[in-house]
């Protein structure tokens, strides 16, 4: 698979000249130009709201060049509008659920790295000291814990550190 190659050239005036695989990528409206302030909107437009991975190369006016990869993410499905009265979900649902949180911790992670929390219910980031902390809503675990699946895995996406913890 070949990633689209985006080249962003910063001009002396601060405007951005953008090409995708060698073809010009114009600003959304005639008379507008891409700027550093519109970089987020530019990247969203190129990556189709981060659903397409791309290779980015930024060429500064002083000759400095930066490169990066923007990874695609799974699109989040639209959430249905809230109704006045929620219907219970499953046999463990209560009419008014109050979250009961369980803390899971681990160490040995790279500071700031993305940590996968598996049964992948959530993600968290490592602290500046390399520690990770996840708060889990036990109502989301209903039915799973009843089947003796009371373990959580913390997986460092950069370091590869794996911590397995039994839930209390």
């Amino acid at each position: 698979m070949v990633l689209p190659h985006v080249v962003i050239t910063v001009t002396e005036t601060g405007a951005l000249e953008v090409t995708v695989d060698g073809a010009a990528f114009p600003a959304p409206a005639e008379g507008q130009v891409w700027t550093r302030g519109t970089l987020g909107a530019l990247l969203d437009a190129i990556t189709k709201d981060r659903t397409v991975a791309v290779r980015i190369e930024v060429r500064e006016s002083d000759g400095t060049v930066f490169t990066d990869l923007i990874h695609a993410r799974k699109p989040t499905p639209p959430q249905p509008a809230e109704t006045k009265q929620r219907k219970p979900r499953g046999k463990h649902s209560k009419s008014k659920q109050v979250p009961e949180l369980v803390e899971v911790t681990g160490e040995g992670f790279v500071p700031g790295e993305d940590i996968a929390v598996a049964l992948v219910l959530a993600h968290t980031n490592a602290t500046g000291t390399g520690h990770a902390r996840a708060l889990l809503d036990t109502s989301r675990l209903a039915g799973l814990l009843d089947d003796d699946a009371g373990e959580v895995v913390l997986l460092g996406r950069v370091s590869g550190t794996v911590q397995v913890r039994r839930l209390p």
Side-chain angles (χ1 to χ4, degrees):
M1 178 177 142
V2 177
L3 297 178
H5 184 210
V6 178
V7 177
I8 301 172
T9 304
V10 181
T11 66
E12 291 290 330
T13 64
L16 306 178
E17 295 174 354
V18 184
T19 62
V20 178
D21 291 332
F25 193 87
E30 192 172 321
Q32 286 185 332
V33 294
W34 296 112
T35 64
R36 291 181 193 275
T38 60
L39 185 61
L42 167 65
L43 295 178
D44 283 344
I46 293 171
T47 63
K48 297 176 179 58
D49 291 323
R50 311 277 198 253
T51 58
V52 175
V54 297
R55 179 176 177 261
I56 303 285
E57 183 176 319
V58 178
R59 298 176 181 170
E60 294 285 349
S61 58
D62 68 358
T64 309
V65 177
F66 301 94
T67 60
D68 200 359
L69 293 176
I70 295 182
H71 299 279
R73 63 172 188 216
K74 292 181 182 176
T76 55
Q79 297 295 323
E82 288 286 326
T83 58
K84 289 185 179 182
Q85 193 173 20
R86 288 182 152 189
K87 293 183 179 179
R89 297 186 333 196
K91 66 180 182 179
H92 297 286
S93 297
K94 301 173 188 171
S95 60
K96 289 189 179 190
Q97 293 184 346
V98 177
E100 181 184 334
L101 301 177
V102 175
E103 181 177 17
V104 180
T105 63
E107 56 187 63
F109 300 98
V110 173
E113 80 175 294
D114 183 47
I115 310 295
V117 180
L119 327 154
V120 182
L121 299 172
H123 282 85
T124 189
N125 290 324
T127 65
T129 60
H131 287 79
R133 177 177 182 246
L135 292 174
L136 303 174
D137 180 352
T138 57
S139 67
R140 294 187 66 193
L141 302 174
L144 297 173
L145 297 179
D146 296 343
D147 298 329
D148 196 29
E151 289 187 322
V152 173
V153 176
L154 299 176
L155 171 64
R157 302 259 186 193
V158 173
S159 65
T161 299
V162 176
Q163 297 285 327
V164 180
R165 300 288 185 255
R166 179 157 287 292
L167 291 174

